[in-house]
Amino acid sequence: MGMVTKSAKFKIGGELPVCRMGYGAMQLTGPGVWGPPDDEDNARAVLRRAIELGVNFIDTADVYGPDDNERTIRDALYPYPAGLVIGTKGGLVRAGPATRENPGISMNGSERHIRGAVEGSLRKLKLECIDLYQLHRIDPVIPIEETMGVFRALRDEGKIRHVGLSEVGVEEIERARSVLEIATVQNVYNLVTRMHEDVLAYCEQNMIAFIPFWPLHSGHLARSEAMHDIAKRCGATTAQVALAWLLQKSPSIILIPGTSSIEHLEQNIGALDVELSAADIDALELMVGNQS
Ligand SMILES: NC(=O)c1ccc[n+]([C@@H]2O[C@H](COP(=O)([O-])OP(=O)(O)OC[C@H]3O[C@@H](n4cnc5c(N)ncnc54)[C@H](OP(=O)(O)O)[C@@H]3O)[C@@H](O)[C@H]2O)c1
């Protein structure tokens, strides 16, 4: 694995330097990712604290709320500090709150939908160009090449700058790259969910940022009994160990842990200072196992 400098920035699309500890804003919505957060003052405070602590990459999506999450980011941070990169997403439609049985979303990668989504995100975020625009999911009835053609046109029109994908395999990334450059891939990945290791390796080889979603396994890794002893030995919390493991896994990984708590935010950013030894990493991987 080699030494990875955690403080080194990753240049998205080879040109936008971001701290490898970003922030995922999805938790700053109502229950089931539906509606605005219960405590809007707190949501704005979390976002401002993230910036204060050096975060300059924020992940959001038009379906978080829907719409409310992008507005919360604008309300908290506009006018945006220099160097802030906001990555948003389009291509999904949310009909209602997510529940355990029904995530409440459907895919739409049509030109009409994507163009409307980009215009909406530009308006809500009060931006003239979106630095990173990610296809949230591939529409099963529209070939990825067709949707990427729309993204390429939007890029050429100056509405979006770099393009990312989410929940994709290597073959899908290659099909997308036959149409335009891909700067980022956002797939589920964490200590216990490692089925996308081939995608991570591909991203690393091709200078594509790999942005694991659910880096804390939706919070379960912050409560892991199995990791307790290693965390204690490192003088860290289990959440920090889970995040440090990802940071050390690959220099192409950019983290977007989600939290609605300033205390957890500060703790998560502190993972940049946690150093896991090779023995710790072996023990963690053995102990927690790959449950994917
Ligand atoms: N591309 C996609 O399809 C996709 C899907 C899901 C998510 N995402 C993105 O990925 C980001 C991260 O995912 P996520 O927020 O669902 O999951 P996550 O980062 O794995 O975990 C978030 C959960 O962990 C808790 N938590 C965070 N830090 C903690 C700490 N230090 N100690 C204890 N608990 C802690 C949070 O609760 P508290 O609020 O109490 O801290 C929250 O319940 C999202 O914000 C979103 O931007 C993308």
Side-chain angles (χ1 to χ4, degrees):
M1 163 159 43
M3 271 303 279
V4 172
T5 315
K6 293 192 189 122
S7 58
K9 292 194 161 37
F10 186 96
K11 284 189 182 167
I12 292 182
E15 61 153 1
L16 299 177
V18 296
C19 170
R20 293 179 57 224
M21 181 61 74
Y23 173 71
M26 191 183 78
Q27 298 295 333
L28 304 180
T29 53
V33 203
W34 187 254
D38 292 340
D39 184 345
E40 298 211 41
D41 287 343
N42 171 69
R44 288 190 289 265
V46 168
L47 286 159
R48 290 178 186 142
R49 185 74 181 131
I51 301 294
E52 250 171 39
L53 293 174
V55 166
N56 74 333
F57 176 63
I58 295 179
D59 182 75
T60 181
D62 61 348
V63 281
Y64 299 165
D67 303 327
D68 299 296
N69 202 232
E70 291 179 320
R71 285 198 200 103
T72 299
I73 290 169
R74 178 199 61 204
D75 291 347
L77 302 178
Y78 189 87
Y80 299 116
L84 175 66
V85 174
I86 299 174
T88 190
K89 314 183 196 82
L92 285 184
V93 181
R94 185 175 284 288
T99 61
R100 194 174 284 275
E101 302 73 38
N102 181 2
I105 45 175
S106 56
M107 292 125 191
N108 190 337
S110 69
E111 173 160 14
R112 187 187 161 92
H113 177 77
I114 298 292
R115 281 195 169 272
V118 166
E119 292 301 337
S121 290
L122 284 168
R123 198 171 53 245
K124 283 168 278 165
L125 289 166
K126 220 171 172 184
L127 286 170
E128 277 169 17
C129 175
I130 296 165
D131 280 334
L132 177 66
Y133 198 71
Q134 304 157 98
L135 178 62
H136 212 147
R137 287 290 183 283
I138 297 172
D139 186 331
V141 299
I142 299 181
I144 177 131
E145 289 85 350
E146 200 175 311
T147 304
M148 287 298 107
V150 180
F151 275 54
R152 186 179 55 198
L154 287 160
R155 187 196 63 185
D156 295 346
E157 290 161 27
K159 297 192 170 174
I160 64 177
R161 190 154 165 182
H162 293 288
V163 170
L165 301 172
S166 177
E167 273 304 271
V168 286
V170 168
E171 194 207 312
E172 290 162 327
I173 305 172
E174 292 198 318
R175 285 175 59 190
R177 290 179 83 208
S178 72
V179 181
L180 83 177
E181 297 82 7
I182 295 299
T184 64
V185 168
Q186 187 172 138
N187 280 7
V188 62
Y189 186 73
N190 55 52
L191 197 44
V192 293
T193 318
R194 286 187 249 152
M195 72 277 209
H196 288 305
E197 252 157 31
D198 60 333
V199 176
L200 171 58
Y202 180 89
C203 288
E204 210 176 300
Q205 281 152 22
N206 290 284
M207 306 299 285
I208 296 170
F210 183 86
I211 306 173
F213 74 74
W214 291 338
L216 295 172
H217 200 215
S218 300
H220 295 293
L221 287 168
R223 300 184 288 273
S224 164
E225 290 287 323
M227 288 161 66
H228 183 262
D229 288 350
I230 291 180
K232 206 171 161 198
R233 191 160 73 237
C234 297
T237 65
T238 57
Q240 287 176 323
V241 168
L243 298 174
W245 177 82
L246 284 166
L247 287 169
Q248 286 180 228
K249 184 81 183 167
S250 164
S252 298
I253 285 186
I254 301 174
L255 295 186
I256 51 163
T259 181
S260 53
S261 141
I262 288 193
E263 190 190 328
H264 290 168
L265 173 83
E266 292 173 346
Q267 195 189 107
N268 295 345
I269 294 172
L272 284 166
D273 300 320
V274 174
E275 204 58 56
L276 301 173
S277 69
D280 290 332
I281 290 172
D282 286 349
L284 270 174
E285 294 184 358
L286 202 67
M287 192 182 299
V288 182
N290 185 356
Q291 298 166 14
S292 61

